[in-house]
Amino acid sequence: MKLKRAVLLCLFGASFLYADNPDYAAWIGMDPAGSHAVFGPPSHIYVHRGESAEEDNVVFYRDGIYLFWFENRIWQIRADRNSGTALAGIGIGDTRNRVIAILGEALYTEADGSLYFEISRRSYPLRLRVVLDSGDTVEDLYLYRGDY
């Protein structure tokens, strides 16, 4: 089954091979056909309403992973406590100290305690938002294009 998915990914021009721990950063910019080949059909599809109409997103959800769409491309991925996955090497339940040990100092910290890191710079900045709970452990992760 994994070989079949890998072949499908190559056909769609994806820049990674499917694995048990996929490279979610490679999903940013993926089109619907590529998403379906890797992610499968979502269990839920909904609209996430932003503060303005330009911030409205279609979101695919499955197994704790949320794919946020803009103009037929994934621009953001969210992992919640149901995902059991890691984004940029950070997993739900990791401590603030572990996050900083892996990623270094944050670009900035919001008033709510969320940490922001730049993961890479391609033709756009790739950022990770780490949301911490009151015990300083990771409760949500957002990997996204920093130019949106």
Side-chain angles (χ1 to χ4, degrees):
M1 185 65 157
K2 288 183 182 180
L3 180 59
K4 182 178 178 182
R5 287 183 180 169
V7 170
L8 285 172
L9 292 175
C10 289
L11 292 174
F12 288 113
S15 62
F16 60 94
L17 293 174
Y18 184 82
D20 289 334
N21 295 310
D23 175 14
Y24 289 101
W27 291 24
I28 303 292
M30 188 179 283
D31 66 12
S35 166
H36 190 271
V38 176
F39 189 66
S43 60
H44 296 80
I45 299 173
Y46 63 94
V47 174
H48 180 266
R49 178 72 59 188
E51 292 181 19
S52 67
E54 295 82 29
E55 296 177 14
D56 290 349
N57 292 273
V58 171
V59 180
F60 287 13
Y61 172 84
R62 182 171 165 189
D63 300 328
I65 298 290
Y66 303 75
L67 306 179
F68 291 74
W69 295 86
F70 179 77
E71 293 185 0
N72 283 330
R73 298 286 176 185
I74 297 171
W75 79 272
Q76 177 173 254
I77 299 168
R78 174 187 176 207
D80 71 12
R81 70 185 63 167
N82 298 314
S83 70
T85 192
L87 297 179
I90 306 302
I92 304 301
D94 283 350
T95 64
R96 173 191 290 268
N97 291 340
R98 178 168 162 68
V99 171
I100 292 170
I102 292 172
L103 298 176
E105 288 300 317
L107 288 174
Y108 59 95
T109 303
E110 282 205 0
D112 70 358
S114 293
L115 305 172
Y116 290 80
F117 298 89
E118 186 161 283
I119 302 304
S120 69
R121 250 191 199 281
R122 304 174 195 181
S123 55
Y124 53 84
L126 186 61
R127 298 217 172 118
L128 180 70
R129 176 182 176 208
V130 178
V131 180
L132 302 169
D133 64 17
S134 59
D136 260 0
T137 59
V138 177
E139 72 175 359
D140 263 317
L141 295 165
Y142 294 84
L143 185 67
Y144 63 97
R145 283 186 63 149
D147 60 347
Y148 273 22

